[in-house]
Amino acid sequence: MSSSPSARPLAPPDAIEVPGLSAALKQVSVQRMLACVTKLAADGYAGRRVGTPGGRAAAAWLTEQLGGLGARVRLDAFDVAEVRELYRTPVLGWSTDAAVRQLEHRRDFVEHLASAEVPEPRSAPLVGAEAADLGGRWVLASAEDWTQACTRAEASGALGVLMARGTDAEGWMPKMIAGPTRRAVAVIGLRPDLHRQLADALRARQVNVTASMPLRSVGAQGVNVHGHLPIRWDAADETMARSPEGGPRVLLSAHFDGVGDDPDRRLPAAADNASGVAAVLEAVRVLRASLRAPVDLSVSFLDAEETGAWGSAHHAPAVAPGTQVINLDGAAQLHQAASVEAGGPAHGLLAAVDQAGRRTGVALRAGAMASDNRRYAAAGLAAIGIGMGMPGYQTPAETPERVEPDTLLAAARLLVATVWLLAGSPHA
């Protein structure tokens, strides 16, 4: 794969056939993957935020799935600090002598993760950030100077700061649950056009703002789900044998957690990252059934990626040296090419991914993948991060219907082909 940010053109499959690979790729089931995505995005899992009943239920279901494939499954719990949690729907509205306007959370305004907790609505006049007296008031600041406005607001005893915050292409303001150090005042992101309207109103007349921000920091316990499925083909009696020895060590990983539902909205987290989990699970299923070469195969479904990749940070130091890690984060909407980021001593692994892309017809391009792969690379392991799109990213629009079957198929086939090629390559 070229290190250029442009996509590698699709290339025809290599002339030399890899024994059994073509047949194995045909075994990849889109229906199973779509069912997995739908399952994990269902109401009962409530967005799968780390430390919640929905997150634990997702881990339990994945444990069952890996056990059904014959894996030796191990659960590994760990503590997570400073998870931002909305425990009620925030309120934001303003009034003038001519009008009253109530705004819609996640469409018109959103929590800023630096915000202090304001449990109940508080009403006060609005002033600009340049005003002489900010005490007891709401402060309107631009996105560029919101930190300075916060500093003045804190020193003056203001209630909070309203700053401009953009939306995605569909008008949603995405949710995050890990962020910067909290301020001593409320910080609320306001849609840019509404921010301009509020600034215009403030220049013409007095404006009163009413707002709450029931946002707190909580600790949580995450749990990683690890499965070990070493493969060795016993040619003597044509049976599959389990063996921890022989073949390269390969770890396939994907995080299963999401940002969690809002108090009054579903955030299904279908693309990020139920889609990646589905593709990894299907790849493992096909490899377990079809691969006839030795490989020490493991899979890790990781928790707490959305809070700063705590699950992989906890796991990476315990991974055996020499393990080659392939992490999939997003397999929902492949456009021109999959994004690939290599870290650690990954030259050989990157070559295998590139060859797998050529054999499966999946174009690849170098691109940033800020996900769990970086934790493994930081631990000195060969690690590749792959992403194939997340439509509706971290919003209520991230539904199973938007996960493209062809993208799931491409992702699972790329994983199968990569492990197949690694298993057939010379190794120490």
Side-chain angles (χ1 to χ4, degrees):
M1 187 188 71
S2 170
S3 60
S4 165
S6 60
R8 166 177 58 71
L10 286 173
D14 290 359
I16 301 175
E17 173 66 17
V18 176
L21 178 56
S22 295
L25 296 177
K26 293 176 183 177
Q27 300 304 310
V28 175
S29 169
V30 169
Q31 288 72 28
R32 277 196 296 260
M33 289 187 284
L34 289 173
C36 178
V37 171
T38 299
K39 176 72 174 179
L40 290 173
D43 293 354
Y45 294 104
R48 308 187 307 278
R49 201 208 79 192
V50 60
T52 62
R56 290 189 291 270
W61 185 77
L62 290 169
T63 299
E64 293 176 2
Q65 301 311 299
L66 287 176
L69 295 178
R72 292 194 289 266
V73 184
R74 177 175 62 90
L75 301 182
D76 188 14
F78 56 93
D79 293 329
V80 181
E82 293 292 312
V83 180
R84 304 295 200 269
E85 179 181 76
L86 278 174
Y87 55 91
R88 281 196 300 274
T89 302
V91 170
L92 179 60
W94 78 74
S95 60
T96 66
D97 53 6
V100 176
R101 180 159 189 177
Q102 297 297 325
L103 303 183
E104 182 181 356
H105 178 237
R106 214 159 293 290
R107 282 292 196 185
D108 301 327
F109 74 100
V110 71
E111 65 279 2
H112 192 291
L113 295 181
S115 180
E117 182 180 5
V118 181
E120 302 296 336
R122 300 188 67 181
S123 299
L126 179 71
V127 295
E130 72 286 349
D133 183 10
L134 307 183
R137 293 165 168 80
W138 290 100
V139 179
L140 187 66
S142 69
E144 292 75 19
D145 68 356
W146 74 272
T147 55
Q148 292 91 332
C150 282
T151 300
R152 283 201 65 215
E154 289 166 337
S156 304
L159 295 184
V161 172
L162 307 182
M163 44 93 70
R165 189 79 175 256
T167 68
D168 68 9
E170 297 170 328
W172 290 105
M173 306 179 87
K175 179 178 183 176
M176 293 176 284
I177 56 174
T181 302
R182 296 181 62 158
R183 307 295 305 226
V185 295
V187 186
I188 300 175
L190 186 63
R191 209 175 70 206
D193 61 311
L194 296 176
H195 187 276
R196 290 190 295 271
Q197 290 179 28
L198 199 51
D200 291 342
L202 184 60
R203 283 191 288 269
R205 60 183 68 87
Q206 179 173 318
V207 178
N208 290 305
V209 167
T210 299
S212 69
M213 188 46 63
L215 179 72
R216 62 191 172 197
S217 290
V218 299
Q221 186 175 72
V223 58
N224 292 331
V225 182
H226 303 300
H228 190 209
L229 303 97
I231 298 170
R232 184 185 65 189
W233 180 251
D234 190 338
D237 59 4
E238 295 190 345
T239 60
M240 196 73 76
R242 293 159 61 101
S243 171
E245 301 175 356
R249 291 192 185 97
V250 180
L251 171 65
L252 301 181
S253 64
H255 77 88
F256 69 88
D257 65 304
V259 294
D261 288 352
D262 280 344
D264 63 348
R265 285 191 194 274
R266 292 278 357 264
L267 281 87
D272 183 21
N273 185 34
S275 65
V277 169
V280 167
L281 191 60
E282 182 63 12
V284 170
R285 186 189 308 276
V286 170
L287 289 164
R288 184 67 172 159
S290 304
L291 185 58
R292 301 294 186 262
V295 60
D296 191 0
L297 180 64
S298 296
V299 58
S300 291
F301 293 125
L302 302 165
D303 205 353
E305 191 271 349
E306 302 295 356
T307 57
W310 285 66
S312 51
H314 175 74
H315 181 228
V319 177
T323 299
Q324 300 177 88
V325 183
I326 308 170
N327 182 71
L328 181 60
D329 196 353
Q333 191 177 65
L334 180 61
H335 291 296
Q336 294 181 340
S339 294
V340 178
E341 177 180 299
H347 297 293
L349 177 57
L350 188 61
V353 172
D354 182 58
Q355 188 181 3
R358 295 176 185 277
R359 291 184 177 275
T360 58
V362 179
L364 309 175
R365 66 177 178 87
M369 283 301 303
S371 187
D372 292 301
N373 47 286
R374 293 186 177 180
R375 296 291 195 178
Y376 293 109
L381 301 168
I384 296 284
I386 301 173
M388 296 189 182
M390 299 177 182
Y393 176 68
Q394 295 183 345
T395 75
E398 194 186 326
T399 59
E401 294 75 20
R402 302 190 67 186
V403 176
E404 298 176 348
D406 286 349
T407 300
L408 287 172
L409 190 64
R413 286 178 170 174
L414 182 67
L415 295 177
V416 169
T418 301
V419 176
W420 206 282
L421 293 167
L422 289 171
S425 300
H427 52 271

